[in-house]
mmCIF file with all atom_site columns, all heavy atoms in Angstrom:
data_model
loop_
_atom_site.group_PDB
_atom_site.id
_atom_site.type_symbol
_atom_site.label_atom_id
_atom_site.label_alt_id
_atom_site.label_comp_id
_atom_site.label_asym_id
_atom_site.label_entity_id
_atom_site.label_seq_id
_atom_site.pdbx_PDB_ins_code
_atom_site.Cartn_x
_atom_site.Cartn_y
_atom_site.Cartn_z
_atom_site.occupancy
_atom_site.B_iso_or_equiv
_atom_site.pdbx_formal_charge
_atom_site.auth_seq_id
_atom_site.auth_comp_id
_atom_site.auth_asym_id
_atom_site.auth_atom_id
_atom_site.pdbx_PDB_model_num
ATOM 1  N N   . ARG M 1 42 ? -29.185 -33.068 -8.448  1.00 0.00 ? 42 ARG M N   1
ATOM 2  C CA  . ARG M 1 42 ? -29.062 -31.627 -8.669  1.00 0.00 ? 42 ARG M CA  1
ATOM 3  C C   . ARG M 1 42 ? -30.161 -30.912 -7.859  1.00 0.00 ? 42 ARG M C   1
ATOM 4  O O   . ARG M 1 42 ? -31.289 -31.364 -7.762  1.00 0.00 ? 42 ARG M O   1
ATOM 5  C CB  . ARG M 1 42 ? -29.232 -31.299 -10.155 1.00 0.00 ? 42 ARG M CB  1
ATOM 6  C CG  . ARG M 1 42 ? -28.165 -31.936 -11.041 1.00 0.00 ? 42 ARG M CG  1
ATOM 7  C CD  . ARG M 1 42 ? -28.390 -31.486 -12.489 1.00 0.00 ? 42 ARG M CD  1
ATOM 8  N NE  . ARG M 1 42 ? -27.424 -32.075 -13.359 1.00 0.00 ? 42 ARG M NE  1
ATOM 9  C CZ  . ARG M 1 42 ? -27.587 -33.250 -13.959 1.00 0.00 ? 42 ARG M CZ  1
ATOM 10 N NH1 . ARG M 1 42 ? -28.682 -33.934 -13.766 1.00 0.00 ? 42 ARG M NH1 1
ATOM 11 N NH2 . ARG M 1 42 ? -26.650 -33.724 -14.753 1.00 0.00 ? 42 ARG M NH2 1
ATOM 12 N N   . THR M 1 43 ? -29.757 -29.814 -7.314  1.00 0.00 ? 43 THR M N   1
ATOM 13 C CA  . THR M 1 43 ? -30.726 -28.963 -6.595  1.00 0.00 ? 43 THR M CA  1
ATOM 14 C C   . THR M 1 43 ? -31.284 -27.949 -7.571  1.00 0.00 ? 43 THR M C   1
ATOM 15 O O   . THR M 1 43 ? -30.541 -27.316 -8.325  1.00 0.00 ? 43 THR M O   1
ATOM 16 C CB  . THR M 1 43 ? -30.038 -28.242 -5.425  1.00 0.00 ? 43 THR M CB  1
ATOM 17 O OG1 . THR M 1 43 ? -28.973 -27.466 -5.927  1.00 0.00 ? 43 THR M OG1 1
ATOM 18 C CG2 . THR M 1 43 ? -29.496 -29.267 -4.423  1.00 0.00 ? 43 THR M CG2 1
ATOM 19 N N   . ALA M 1 44 ? -32.573 -27.829 -7.599  1.00 0.00 ? 44 ALA M N   1
ATOM 20 C CA  . ALA M 1 44 ? -33.213 -26.933 -8.576  1.00 0.00 ? 44 ALA M CA  1
ATOM 21 C C   . ALA M 1 44 ? -33.034 -25.483 -8.137  1.00 0.00 ? 44 ALA M C   1
ATOM 22 O O   . ALA M 1 44 ? -33.521 -25.060 -7.084  1.00 0.00 ? 44 ALA M O   1
ATOM 23 C CB  . ALA M 1 44 ? -34.707 -27.252 -8.672  1.00 0.00 ? 44 ALA M CB  1
ATOM 24 N N   . PRO M 1 45 ? -32.296 -24.686 -8.920  1.00 0.00 ? 45 PRO M N   1
ATOM 25 C CA  . PRO M 1 45 ? -32.131 -23.264 -8.583  1.00 0.00 ? 45 PRO M CA  1
ATOM 26 C C   . PRO M 1 45 ? -33.429 -22.513 -8.899  1.00 0.00 ? 45 PRO M C   1
ATOM 27 O O   . PRO M 1 45 ? -34.346 -23.053 -9.531  1.00 0.00 ? 45 PRO M O   1
ATOM 28 C CB  . PRO M 1 45 ? -30.977 -22.826 -9.482  1.00 0.00 ? 45 PRO M CB  1
ATOM 29 C CG  . PRO M 1 45 ? -31.050 -23.730 -10.640 1.00 0.00 ? 45 PRO M CG  1
ATOM 30 C CD  . PRO M 1 45 ? -31.579 -25.035 -10.138 1.00 0.00 ? 45 PRO M CD  1
ATOM 31 N N   . PRO M 1 46 ? -33.481 -21.292 -8.479  1.00 0.00 ? 46 PRO M N   1
ATOM 32 C CA  . PRO M 1 46 ? -34.671 -20.484 -8.817  1.00 0.00 ? 46 PRO M CA  1
ATOM 33 C C   . PRO M 1 46 ? -34.859 -20.392 -10.310 1.00 0.00 ? 46 PRO M C   1
ATOM 34 O O   . PRO M 1 46 ? -33.904 -20.333 -11.081 1.00 0.00 ? 46 PRO M O   1
ATOM 35 C CB  . PRO M 1 46 ? -34.366 -19.115 -8.198  1.00 0.00 ? 46 PRO M CB  1
ATOM 36 C CG  . PRO M 1 46 ? -33.396 -19.414 -7.122  1.00 0.00 ? 46 PRO M CG  1
ATOM 37 C CD  . PRO M 1 46 ? -32.582 -20.572 -7.586  1.00 0.00 ? 46 PRO M CD  1
ATOM 38 N N   . ARG M 1 47 ? -36.091 -20.393 -10.709 1.00 0.00 ? 47 ARG M N   1
ATOM 39 C CA  . ARG M 1 47 ? -36.406 -20.441 -12.139 1.00 0.00 ? 47 ARG M CA  1
ATOM 40 C C   . ARG M 1 47 ? -35.985 -19.183 -12.855 1.00 0.00 ? 47 ARG M C   1
ATOM 41 O O   . ARG M 1 47 ? -35.501 -19.225 -13.982 1.00 0.00 ? 47 ARG M O   1
ATOM 42 C CB  . ARG M 1 47 ? -37.915 -20.657 -12.300 1.00 0.00 ? 47 ARG M CB  1
ATOM 43 C CG  . ARG M 1 47 ? -38.358 -20.863 -13.718 1.00 0.00 ? 47 ARG M CG  1
ATOM 44 C CD  . ARG M 1 47 ? -39.799 -21.224 -13.757 1.00 0.00 ? 47 ARG M CD  1
ATOM 45 N NE  . ARG M 1 47 ? -40.229 -21.474 -15.113 1.00 0.00 ? 47 ARG M NE  1
ATOM 46 C CZ  . ARG M 1 47 ? -41.466 -21.816 -15.443 1.00 0.00 ? 47 ARG M CZ  1
ATOM 47 N NH1 . ARG M 1 47 ? -42.376 -21.965 -14.490 1.00 0.00 ? 47 ARG M NH1 1
ATOM 48 N NH2 . ARG M 1 47 ? -41.794 -22.034 -16.707 1.00 0.00 ? 47 ARG M NH2 1
ATOM 49 N N   . ASP M 1 48 ? -36.111 -18.044 -12.184 1.00 0.00 ? 48 ASP M N   1
ATOM 50 C CA  . ASP M 1 48 ? -35.767 -16.794 -12.861 1.00 0.00 ? 48 ASP M CA  1
ATOM 51 C C   . ASP M 1 48 ? -34.279 -16.700 -13.126 1.00 0.00 ? 48 ASP M C   1
ATOM 52 O O   . ASP M 1 48 ? -33.851 -16.335 -14.225 1.00 0.00 ? 48 ASP M O   1
ATOM 53 C CB  . ASP M 1 48 ? -36.221 -15.597 -11.991 1.00 0.00 ? 48 ASP M CB  1
ATOM 54 C CG  . ASP M 1 48 ? -37.740 -15.609 -11.797 1.00 0.00 ? 48 ASP M CG  1
ATOM 55 O OD1 . ASP M 1 48 ? -38.413 -16.199 -12.695 1.00 0.00 ? 48 ASP M OD1 1
ATOM 56 O OD2 . ASP M 1 48 ? -38.218 -15.088 -10.776 1.00 0.00 ? 48 ASP M OD2 1
#
Side-chain angles (χ1 to χ4, degrees):
R42 298 183 181 89
T43 58
R47 186 173 182 180
D48 298 335

